[in-house]
Amino acid sequence: MNELLQNPGTPSHLALLFLAGALMLGIVLFFVTYAIYFERKVIGWMQFRIGPNRVGPLGLLQSVADIAKLLMKEDTIPKKADRLLFILAPIITFVPSFSILATIPYTETLHFANLDAGILYYVALTGISTIGIVLGGWASNNKYSLLGGMRSAAQMISYEVPLVISVTGVIMLSGSMNLMTVVQQQGSNFWEWNVLPQILGFVVFVIAAVSELNRTPFDLPEAESELVAGYHVEYSGFRFAFFMLAEYVYVFAIAALTTLLFLGGWHAPLAFLDFIPGLVWFLLKFLFIVFFLFWLRATFPRIRVDQLMSLGWKALLPLSLLNIFVTALYMELFMK
């Protein structure tokens, strides 16, 4: 294995990269399929409903049936749509969401690319998905789609700023944008994790991340009551599935990134629990964040557009800037 990795460009190396990418895609598709199922079950449980329970044992094949239906549905393109951009938009939205998974380390040994600028790479690629959403709304030649695309652009640009600034404190503490270094800087006790000294940055990051995902209560680009279904209203079949796939892949990425930046990654919450494999701790924290996102969707109503923009610019941005000064003061007083 090491010999293959040390000889890039050889057929064996390219085959290994292809297999690793295919394996990761399979894992992500499995996650997306059953994240949808568990989201519906969790929301049903919280709202005293049953949720999927008919297709397969305990309804476990309901999402599989839904995906099969999407893949078999007729692929329609509006007559007056910009055909090329209409086709490209779902691809431009999905490809960056999958590409960012290459930099996420799951343990010290289980990872793909170990980039020195891993955090910057993540931020850069998430911005490309915004272009795909705007293009989808524009190319559909539908006023509701266009409004949904423009809302998404305004929302994602507005919340990208506090999201990035909120991570600055973590970068200051670790002295690196490498995700492996950020996790290694955190210890094997929960009071050594970044979530405590960076509690303000953590709160800003979580709120901005939920908005970046376009999920409730920030799902304004898809507001059915106002925009029918938003930027993807004219999409059907597998192209619509690509937009949904991108959303849940970003759920995967945000949950993993939150775990790495603030919750100690694969470190145990207490040192004497280090005998449990690091991958287990990573998955437990990761699944808790995913559950938290489902919990939010079951609990909060959608907010208005003006409330969304005011929260981003008038509250989260000043708080994220304040977090930088608080972090600098903390480092000056306690980390000399």
Side-chain angles (χ1 to χ4, degrees):
M1 180 69 74
N2 289 333
E3 292 178 1
L4 290 176
L5 293 174
Q6 290 169 5
N7 293 282
T10 63
S12 298
H13 182 269
L14 294 176
L16 180 64
L17 290 179
F18 176 80
L19 289 174
L23 175 63
M24 190 64 209
L25 180 60
I27 293 172
V28 168
L29 290 176
F30 179 83
F31 167 81
V32 170
T33 301
Y34 283 98
I36 295 170
Y37 168 79
F38 281 108
E39 179 169 22
R40 295 165 75 178
K41 293 295 282 188
V42 167
I43 293 175
W45 167 63
M46 289 185 173
Q47 297 178 348
F48 298 101
R49 295 184 287 108
I50 297 173
N53 69 336
R54 296 293 182 187
V55 185
L58 303 176
L60 284 169
L61 297 180
Q62 181 64 60
S63 294
V64 177
D66 292 341
I67 292 170
K69 180 186 72 173
L70 278 178
L71 296 178
M72 291 188 289
K73 284 178 72 73
E74 180 184 4
D75 175 32
T76 59
I77 299 178
K79 184 177 180 180
K80 295 185 178 181
D82 187 317
R83 188 178 182 86
L84 177 61
L85 294 181
F86 188 88
I87 293 171
L88 286 177
I91 301 171
I92 294 173
T93 303
F94 169 71
V95 170
S97 71
F98 182 68
S99 300
I100 60 178
L101 302 183
T103 61
I104 294 176
Y106 304 96
T107 67
E108 288 186 293
T109 55
L110 183 59
H111 58 86
F112 292 96
N114 185 18
L115 298 183
D116 288 335
I119 297 175
L120 185 62
Y121 174 84
Y122 177 92
V123 172
L125 285 188
T126 53
I128 298 176
S129 290
T130 308
I131 298 174
I133 291 174
V134 175
L135 284 180
W138 169 265
S140 297
N141 194 31
N142 179 306
K143 63 182 179 181
Y144 298 110
S145 298
L146 178 60
L147 286 172
M150 296 304 293
R151 272 189 183 186
S152 181
Q155 177 173 330
M156 296 178 86
I157 290 171
S158 300
Y159 280 79
E160 192 85 27
V161 177
L163 181 76
V164 175
I165 296 176
S166 67
V167 178
T168 304
V170 173
I171 297 172
M172 292 168 66
L173 290 176
S174 62
S176 174
M177 287 193 289
N178 185 310
L179 289 170
M180 290 282 288
T181 305
V182 169
V183 177
Q184 289 165 355
Q185 172 265 334
Q186 301 175 74
S188 293
N189 294 292
F190 69 89
W191 57 83
E192 297 175 322
W193 297 350
N194 286 331
V195 67
L196 294 180
Q198 287 294 299
I199 186 63
L200 184 57
F202 175 71
V203 172
V204 173
F205 179 87
V206 169
I207 296 173
V210 174
S211 180
E212 282 282 291
L213 294 172
N214 288 335
R215 290 179 61 84
T216 308
F218 305 113
D219 56 338
L220 276 300
E222 306 171 17
E224 298 89 347
S225 58
E226 307 156 37
L227 302 180
V228 186
Y231 58 88
H232 48 52
V233 67
E234 296 289 357
Y235 283 88
S236 65
F238 73 96
R239 300 189 201 281
F240 175 81
F242 261 77
F243 280 117
M244 292 296 98
L245 181 60
E247 177 181 326
Y248 279 90
V249 173
Y250 274 124
V251 168
F252 183 102
I254 281 292
L257 194 66
T258 306
T259 300
L260 295 169
L261 293 177
F262 295 99
L263 301 180
W266 51 85
H267 290 307
L270 294 170
F272 70 88
L273 295 173
D274 276 342
F275 67 92
I276 298 176
L279 183 60
V280 173
W281 290 117
F282 180 92
L283 289 175
L284 287 174
K285 298 170 190 177
F286 169 85
L287 292 174
F288 173 76
I289 297 297
V290 173
F291 172 79
F292 175 74
L293 293 174
F294 297 165
W295 186 4
L296 286 181
R297 184 168 185 176
T299 305
F300 288 99
R302 181 183 297 128
I303 65 174
R304 299 196 314 262
V305 179
D306 60 311
Q307 294 172 330
L308 174 83
M309 302 306 288
S310 295
L311 177 64
W313 291 108
K314 296 180 180 178
L316 296 187
L317 180 58
L319 288 175
S320 61
L321 292 172
L322 175 63
N323 181 61
I324 295 178
F325 291 102
V326 172
T327 303
L329 184 62
Y330 172 82
M331 293 177 67
E332 180 67 24
L333 295 177
F334 301 106
M335 297 184 65
K336 282 189 175 182

